[in-house]
Amino acid sequence: MPGIEKLPIEETLEDSPQTRSLLGVFEEDTAAISNYCTQLYQAMQRIYDAQNELSAATHLTSRLLKEYDKQRFPLGGDDEVMSSTLQQFAKVIDELSSCHAVLSTQLADAMMFPITQFKERDLKEIKRLTSLFLSADHDTAINRYSRLSKKRDNDKVRAEVVEDVYTSRKKQHQTMMHYFCSLNTLQYKKKTALLEPLLGYMQAQISFFKLGSENLTQQWEDFLGTIGTSVQNVRREMEEEVGQMQQTIQQMERSCDPLYVPCDPDPAYSPVCRSLTRKQGYLHIRNKTGLVSSSWERQYFFTQGGNLMHQARGEVAGGLVTDLDNCSVMAVDCDDRRFCFQVTSFDGKKVVTLQAESRKDCEEWVSTINNISKRIYLSENAEELAARVNQSALEAVTPSPSFQQRHESMRPSSKGRTGRASSISSVGSEPSPALSVLSLDALVAPETPIQFDIISPVSEENSGQSKTAAQCGRRSNPFGESGDSTSEDSEDSILHQLFIVQFLGSMEVKTPESADVISETMRQILAARAIHNIFRMTESHLLVTCGCLKLIDPQTQVTRLRFPLSSVVHCSSHQDNKRLFGFVLQSSGGRGDSRAVCYIFESNNDGEKICDSIGLAKQIAFLFHCEKQQEELSKQRQIEKDLEEQSRLIAASSRPANQPASDGQFLVLSNSQSEDSDAGEEGKKKGESEA
């Protein structure tokens, strides 16, 4: 091919610098060809991989379309038109998949094979010859031959050197000739290596298009046109349906705007329907979680025949709550919730308390359950029968006078007591006869706050001590303890008993001497915890000694509260739940007034044991107090005797023993007074001598 320069093979033996310079140009051209060929190979490899992926994806699409009939769609139904259409598409796509597979084979043979051969065979051969050409064996042999000595001419050594020069020169000459030949040939092969893959790619594409045109006949074009028309019709129907739904949404937004408010709607706009025999909606149900504690959970409720069912979110079917046949339903007044009603089974064993969102919803639920309990839903004219019992449904919605009186009798007269008012049966014991006669206001002060956490009470005496300690530069005890109490507590005590307790609450009481004040305080504290959903309790260690009661932090061993045993007026446990106990502490203020506070605890052990331990401590303290009084009385008598003895000695020592003075009296000087007078005279004489 004209225009292509060649390396002179005839000059390989001479190996002149000009030949080496021309060889360098050819080597640079070979490196550029190798780099470009590598990039072109990577691009064609991507085309080949994409074609293989397209062929596999087309085949997978065809297989999925064929399996459409085997799918079970919940809302699909048996659409034969859709199935037949997809089967026809699967047939066409399957033929296209075959065409893509043929195209992949042609690309592998006509495009990838030539460029791969050029890259793996020709370029690698040139690299191998380059490594041989750069060998330094010939230069080493020539240098060795040049160092042969004239004086020490050895035929054997000379023959070996000559043979070495011959071999290395011959090898270099042959390598250079083959190397020059490969470089000259590469100038031709680089053109064929670039043109043959492109030629194969274009021929494969042309054959693929011809094969596709043969498969996609006029019949398929008509089929595709029909399918396109069907798609346009479906899209038009969808747009019309979306428009209708948008109009419905706007109308619902305007009409349902008053229903978004959870409060009672206007009775004229939305009257209460009392002739219902079926109803559904969300309600809150009360679940009992402890002795007096409970929680509310929002669930979906519905009536099914004569049963009340509930269904949680995510569940497929509902569960039975209670049987409504011959049940009783009435609106109840809960302390912590509004719009509540209570459903009681016919045998009275199961009671369900529910809460509605509004008074209207509550009345409709009560009316519906009342109608179902009378089995009106079994009759043919259920609405007419429901209208007849409308009056009874109204009575069931409004609490009866006896029910109201019963709640009013168990609720304090003060408005501030409404949050803590509940039945005494919630504590677990019946009211005693004394408590039924005595009013609640006589036991517990009205509007008394309940303290649910342990806070050290700061009295006026403690505040005065803290001020005095601050003036003296001492640190005050943050737990309300004085420095003297620590010394008293450090003394040995006969009784040391430790109990694990949980603090429930405390409140001020009016009559600490009453036997029912602790039970009433327990009832109010437990009811307040249930109303306000307060379940956290502070755990402490109760240390009972002969001097005081201590509440100690179990982790830091710091005294939280200290109760003098002399201030404990009364201690008792619960009648039914023996783990509950409490005691009344009476303390005097700085202005002469006294206040009584009742503390309620729950113990891990029996509460009566703790009360017995406190009573034993008070008895021991009383005995110690009596002994102490006797000791003080004996000490007082001894002091009186000592005083009498001293007065007798003083009287005896005051008799006349010195010279009388001018007025007939004696002057008695003590030793100290005489020494002072002597020192004064000496100082006076010394001053006169100095003057």
Side-chain angles (χ1 to χ4, degrees):
M1 184 177 291
I4 297 178
E5 296 184 0
K6 297 186 295 181
L7 287 170
I9 301 177
E10 299 81 2
E11 298 179 0
T12 54
L13 183 59
E14 183 179 0
D15 193 14
S16 61
Q18 292 79 7
T19 305
R20 288 277 182 160
S21 177
L22 184 60
L23 178 62
V25 176
F26 272 77
E27 288 177 347
E28 292 179 1
D29 184 72
T30 302
I33 292 174
S34 177
N35 187 18
Y36 180 78
C37 181
T38 302
Q39 296 179 3
L40 184 62
Y41 172 79
Q42 294 176 355
M44 292 184 176
Q45 184 66 37
R46 291 182 62 182
I47 294 175
Y48 178 67
D49 294 340
Q51 182 60 40
N52 289 335
E53 184 66 23
L54 179 60
S55 177
T58 309
H59 179 70
L60 179 61
T61 304
S62 175
R63 183 168 60 83
L64 291 176
L65 293 177
K66 291 179 181 179
E67 294 177 355
Y68 178 80
D69 295 337
K70 301 179 182 180
Q71 304 297 323
R72 294 293 181 266
F73 299 103
L75 300 177
D78 298 332
D79 193 352
E80 296 181 356
V81 177
M82 188 69 178
S83 299
S84 61
T85 303
L86 293 180
Q87 291 298 324
Q88 293 181 3
F89 270 111
K91 183 178 179 181
V92 177
I93 294 175
D94 194 9
E95 294 179 358
L96 292 177
S97 176
S98 301
C99 296
H100 283 292
V102 173
L103 177 59
S104 298
T105 305
Q106 292 178 354
L107 291 177
D109 296 338
M111 183 181 69
M112 296 304 300
F113 181 74
I115 193 170
T116 303
Q117 286 290 100
F118 176 72
K119 180 175 177 294
E120 299 294 333
R121 186 182 62 183
D122 299 334
L123 294 180
K124 283 189 176 181
E125 178 67 18
I126 292 177
K127 290 181 179 180
R128 186 183 67 83
L129 294 175
T130 302
S131 62
L132 293 176
F133 174 72
L134 296 177
S135 178
D137 295 340
H138 179 261
D139 295 337
T140 304
I142 292 296
N143 291 334
R144 186 180 177 187
Y145 177 76
S146 301
R147 289 196 301 268
L148 289 176
S149 178
K150 294 181 180 180
K151 297 179 181 180
R152 298 178 182 179
D153 191 5
N154 191 345
D155 295 337
K156 184 178 180 180
V157 174
R158 185 176 57 189
E160 291 177 358
V161 172
V162 170
E163 182 66 22
D164 192 10
V165 171
Y166 171 77
T167 303
S168 61
R169 182 172 291 176
K170 181 179 180 181
K171 180 181 178 181
Q172 183 184 9
H173 185 220
Q174 292 177 355
T175 302
M176 288 185 66
M177 287 189 297
H178 289 287
Y179 186 46
F180 281 20
C181 180
S182 298
L183 292 177
N184 291 333
T185 307
L186 184 63
Q187 300 301 318
Y188 294 92
K189 285 185 177 181
K190 69 178 182 181
K191 300 181 182 298
T192 59
L194 296 178
L195 295 177
E196 286 181 359
L198 298 177
L199 180 62
Y201 173 75
M202 295 305 298
Q203 289 178 352
Q205 293 290 341
I206 291 172
S207 62
F208 172 74
F209 292 145
K210 288 182 179 180
L211 189 60
S213 62
E214 293 175 0
N215 293 330
L216 297 176
T217 58
Q218 185 65 31
Q219 180 181 359
W220 287 112
E221 293 181 0
D222 297 339
F223 170 73
L224 294 177
T226 304
I227 297 301
T229 304
S230 301
V231 170
Q232 294 296 330
N233 294 334
V234 172
R235 188 180 298 277
R236 191 180 302 107
E237 293 178 0
M238 180 188 68
E239 293 176 355
E240 293 177 357
E241 184 67 23
V242 169
Q244 294 178 1
M245 289 189 294
Q246 292 293 338
Q247 293 179 0
T248 305
I249 290 173
Q250 294 177 0
Q251 294 176 0
M252 292 292 292
E253 288 179 351
R254 290 192 297 267
S255 61
C256 297
D257 186 76
L259 302 179
Y260 296 150
V261 183
C263 59
D264 293 329
D266 187 5
Y269 178 77
S270 178
V272 178
C273 184
R274 305 185 185 278
S275 60
L276 298 176
T277 56
R278 292 184 301 174
K279 189 169 177 59
Q280 63 278 344
Y282 282 96
L283 297 173
H284 286 82
I285 183 171
R286 169 179 270 176
N287 298 322
K288 195 171 184 180
T289 58
L291 180 63
V292 295
S293 60
S294 61
S295 63
W296 295 84
E297 183 180 2
R298 188 171 185 264
Q299 293 183 359
Y300 185 80
F301 289 83
F302 61 95
T303 59
Q304 186 175 9
N307 299 324
L308 179 63
M309 312 290 289
H310 74 98
Q311 184 175 359
R313 292 184 178 179
E315 294 183 357
V316 180
L320 177 64
V321 178
T322 184
D323 187 9
L324 299 180
D325 289 339
N326 297 325
C327 71
S328 62
V329 57
M330 62 185 303
V332 295
D333 185 12
C334 293
D335 293 331
D336 57 340
R337 297 286 178 126
R338 302 181 302 166
F339 315 131
C340 296
F341 61 95
Q342 195 174 59
V343 181
T344 307
S345 60
F346 68 96
D347 54 359
K349 294 182 179 180
K350 189 171 184 179
V351 179
V352 181
T353 304
L354 301 170
Q355 180 198 14
E357 290 186 357
S358 61
R359 188 176 300 277
K360 172 181 175 296
D361 196 18
C362 177
E363 293 180 3
E364 288 184 352
W365 271 104
V366 172
S367 301
T368 303
I369 296 175
N370 195 18
N371 295 335
I372 295 175
S373 66
K374 295 177 175 57
R375 299 187 178 182
I376 299 177
Y377 65 94
L378 297 177
S379 61
E380 296 181 357
N381 299 325
E383 295 183 357
E384 295 181 0
L385 292 178
R388 295 176 185 176
V389 297
N390 187 11
Q391 186 65 29
S392 62
L394 289 175
E395 294 177 357
V397 172
T398 306
S400 61
S402 61
F403 177 79
Q404 186 70 18
Q405 291 174 2
R406 180 159 57 105
H407 277 267
E408 291 295 336
S409 63
M410 300 177 65
R411 181 181 296 120
S413 59
S414 176
K415 296 182 179 179
R417 296 282 310 283
T418 57
R420 300 193 304 268
S422 62
S423 174
I424 195 170
S425 61
S426 62
V427 184
S429 64
E430 296 295 332
S432 62
L435 183 61
S436 61
V437 176
L438 189 64
S439 64
L440 300 182
D441 290 341
L443 295 177
V444 181
E447 300 181 1
T448 301
I450 299 177
Q451 180 177 322
F452 296 105
D453 203 355
I454 294 179
I455 301 176
S456 299
V458 181
S459 61
E460 295 181 0
E461 180 180 359
N462 293 334
S463 63
Q465 291 178 359
S466 62
K467 291 179 180 178
T468 307
Q471 293 174 0
C472 298
R474 295 178 54 189
R475 293 180 57 188
S476 61
N477 195 334
F479 297 96
E481 300 178 6
S482 61
D484 298 336
S485 62
T486 57
S487 62
E488 294 176 1
D489 297 338
S490 62
E491 295 179 356
D492 295 336
S493 178
I494 298 177
L495 182 64
H496 276 84
Q497 290 188 354
L498 190 68
F499 303 95
I500 300 176
V501 297
Q502 287 85 24
F503 180 72
L504 295 178
S506 64
M507 60 185 301
E508 187 176 353
V509 296
K510 294 178 63 177
T511 56
E513 297 83 5
S514 176
D516 297 319
V517 66
I518 295 180
S519 61
E520 173 62 19
T521 306
M522 288 181 182
R523 184 188 70 82
Q524 294 201 19
I525 289 177
L526 294 178
R529 279 182 169 268
I531 291 171
H532 299 289
N533 294 328
I534 301 175
F535 306 108
R536 182 178 60 86
M537 295 183 293
T538 304
E539 182 176 348
S540 303
H541 290 172
L542 178 63
L543 179 62
V544 181
T545 62
C546 296
C548 64
L549 303 179
K550 284 186 179 182
L551 284 180
I552 302 174
D553 192 345
Q555 296 181 355
T556 61
Q557 299 300 320
V558 175
T559 302
R560 291 174 173 170
L561 286 178
R562 182 181 181 276
F563 307 107
L565 198 60
S566 59
S567 302
V568 178
V569 179
H570 182 55
C571 179
S572 65
S573 62
H574 198 273
Q575 296 180 3
D576 297 334
N577 187 3
K578 299 301 181 182
R579 296 175 59 185
L580 298 178
F581 74 97
F583 55 84
V584 179
L585 186 72
Q586 189 168 12
S587 61
S588 59
R591 299 179 180 178
D593 55 347
S594 62
R595 57 188 299 266
V597 181
C598 183
Y599 294 86
I600 306 300
F601 299 89
E602 182 181 3
S603 64
N604 296 336
N605 303 325
D606 195 356
E608 291 183 353
K609 295 181 180 180
I610 302 177
C611 294
D612 295 341
S613 177
I614 296 175
L616 179 61
K618 289 182 70 67
Q619 292 179 4
I620 296 174
F622 179 73
L623 293 177
F624 274 125
H625 181 67
C626 293
E627 293 179 359
K628 190 174 181 180
Q629 285 183 350
Q630 291 179 359
E631 291 179 358
E632 290 180 355
L633 184 59
S634 62
K635 289 180 180 180
Q636 185 69 22
R637 290 176 180 175
Q638 185 66 30
I639 291 171
E640 291 178 357
K641 291 181 181 180
D642 294 341
L643 291 175
E644 290 178 358
E645 183 68 22
Q646 289 179 4
S647 62
R648 187 173 62 253
L649 292 176
I650 292 171
S653 63
S654 62
R655 293 175 182 176
N658 297 328
Q659 293 296 328
S662 60
D663 55 355
Q665 296 180 356
F666 294 91
L667 180 60
V668 180
L669 296 176
S670 61
N671 296 330
S672 61
Q673 290 176 352
S674 61
E675 290 176 359
D676 294 336
S677 61
D678 295 340
E681 291 177 357
E682 290 177 1
K684 187 176 181 181
K685 291 179 180 180
K686 185 177 180 180
E688 291 176 354
S689 63
E690 289 179 356

